Amino acid sequence: MTTIAIDLGGSRIKIGLVADGKVLKSTMLDANSGHGLQNRLTTIEDTIRRLLTKEEIEDTKGIGIAYPGLVNWKEKRVIQGNGKYTDAPSVDLEKWAKDVFQLPMIMENDANAALLGELYYGCGHGAEDAVMLILGTGVGTAAVMGGQLIRGKHNQAGCLGGHFPTEINGRPCTCPGRGCIEANASTWTLPRLIKEHKDYMQSGLCEEKMIDFKTLKEYVLIQDKVAVDTLDYCTKTWANCIISLIYAYDPEVILLSGGVIKFGSILLEPMLEYVKKNVWTPWGKVEFRIAENTEHSVLLGLHWLLNKS
Ligand SMILES: [Zn+2]
């Protein structure tokens, strides 16, 4: 069955036509998430109509929407974002999908959708107990136990691993807390981390206008002390997040995804080494797998949910 999947990312919106576990067509547009969701709906509608023929839209079973925040999947509404599309809780997306495309709609947290996409159409194949760690702008997590997606009483289980607190009086986060995993190690916090280093003014990084993990990797490769120390701190912080996820959800496999993961062994090797050294799993070793469809796993997960509904 064919489905339309919309991934409302913080910086980009991905839209795809998905059939039989494959993304047939997809496109992206700027999210402008700081300006709200209601303002983007006409553009999203226009983009879908440009991407798909009239026949393709008529042939679809439904629309799946992923949101980067807390989602009430039963009521098909956004509970709360995190500075992204702040008007989303008041936007009736089910009504929009029905009015504009005459289609039913489902909604899910984006990390949950990404995990389902990889579990059923990617690297997670065959796993019944899995956890996903997504290193993107922030840190996303999701968990499946016994084949069931973990959502919890208030739809906030599994998906808030990036906000596991690690420090008292730590750095302020985008959530109400301080010292969270993503406040300590993520793309959005990276410029702050680097500036806090005592040798920052001696590092070439102080000349850089834009600092992300690509920039950091370049400086790690030339053995810049600030870059090396910062990457070490980040990999250990993410490793601690993985260890907490293992204790919370007891998975057989950890799926790793997100734009930061693509920086490869320079990041993965120390992170996984730290997990192996410090985790307590008397039964054996948790397996690690890298996401196969980083760009499309959210769209694929929405497709799976729509076909299941
Ligand atoms: Zn937080």
Side-chain angles (χ1 to χ4, degrees):
M1 196 67 85
T2 312
T3 54
I4 296 168
I6 304 170
D7 176 9
L8 297 171
S11 52
R12 293 175 306 173
I13 297 170
K14 284 181 208 160
I15 299 172
L17 179 71
V18 192
D20 301 324
K22 289 194 175 61
V23 177
L24 305 180
K25 287 181 186 180
S26 67
T27 191
M28 269 190 292
L29 55 150
D30 287 337
N32 294 332
S33 59
H35 294 98
L37 182 58
Q38 188 69 51
N39 286 336
R40 296 305 277 155
L41 288 181
T42 308
T43 311
I44 292 171
E45 179 192 340
D46 292 346
T47 307
I48 291 172
R49 293 198 193 282
R50 271 201 305 276
L51 180 70
L52 308 180
T53 64
K54 195 166 168 287
E55 290 72 29
E56 282 171 334
I57 292 173
E58 283 170 4
D59 192 38
T60 57
K61 182 185 179 182
I63 297 182
I65 300 177
Y67 176 78
L70 296 175
V71 167
N72 185 325
W73 68 281
K74 275 188 190 159
E75 294 177 11
K76 302 178 184 182
R77 65 178 179 84
V78 169
I79 298 170
Q80 201 171 69
N82 213 355
K84 300 158 211 156
Y85 311 102
T86 48
D87 63 338
S90 64
V91 179
D92 188 343
L93 289 166
E94 188 176 25
K95 185 174 183 302
W96 171 78
K98 200 173 168 211
D99 289 352
V100 174
F101 293 108
Q102 294 75 53
L103 285 170
M105 161 277 206
I106 58 113
M107 191 173 228
E108 190 50 87
N109 165 271
D110 59 350
N112 286 349
L115 173 55
L116 294 173
E118 283 297 325
L119 204 61
Y120 293 104
Y121 306 115
C123 73
H125 195 68
E128 289 236 302
D129 295 272
V131 158
M132 180 174 259
L133 178 75
I134 307 168
L135 301 179
T137 307
V139 176
T141 66
V144 162
M145 292 175 83
Q148 291 294 313
L149 185 65
I150 301 300
R151 291 186 174 106
K153 173 83 176 166
H154 308 99
N155 299 289
Q156 63 178 88
C159 62
L160 291 185
H163 299 279
F164 284 160
T166 62
E167 256 181 273
I168 298 165
N169 299 325
R171 299 175 183 89
C173 188
T174 56
C175 77
R178 302 182 77 97
C180 302
I181 295 283
E182 72 166 56
N184 285 354
S186 65
T187 302
W188 70 258
T189 205
L190 184 62
R192 179 172 63 182
L193 280 188
I194 286 168
K195 282 179 192 139
E196 283 173 4
H197 195 288
K198 62 181 173 48
D199 297 328
Y200 171 66
M201 293 310 287
Q202 282 81 55
S203 166
L205 282 161
C206 76
E207 305 289 335
E208 296 287 343
K209 285 195 180 68
M210 221 273 291
I211 294 172
D212 56 14
F213 281 95
K214 184 170 177 283
T215 325
L216 191 75
K217 183 180 176 178
E218 286 162 17
Y219 280 83
V220 169
L221 291 174
I222 57 167
Q223 291 297 305
D224 177 274
K225 183 169 166 42
V226 175
V228 170
D229 289 353
T230 304
L231 185 66
D232 179 62
Y233 179 76
C234 288
T235 53
K236 285 175 180 161
T237 302
W238 294 324
N240 277 339
C241 183
I242 291 171
I243 292 169
S244 301
L245 291 166
I246 290 171
Y247 296 161
Y249 303 111
D250 191 13
E252 56 190 319
V253 57
I254 307 272
L255 313 179
L256 300 171
S257 187
V260 177
I261 292 292
K262 70 179 179 222
F263 297 111
S265 60
I266 199 166
L267 176 151
L268 285 172
E269 277 177 20
M271 181 168 83
L272 302 192
E273 196 54 40
Y274 191 88
V275 173
K276 279 174 197 160
K277 236 185 232 171
N278 293 282
V279 73
W280 185 26
T281 51
W283 55 267
K285 285 180 184 168
V286 183
E287 189 189 343
F288 287 89
R289 298 184 200 165
I290 306 293
E292 287 175 10
N293 305 296
T294 307
E295 284 299 309
H296 288 149
S297 50
V298 172
L299 304 183
L300 291 167
L302 292 170
H303 172 68
W304 184 83
L305 282 166
L306 271 163
N307 275 309
K308 188 174 138 287
S309 65

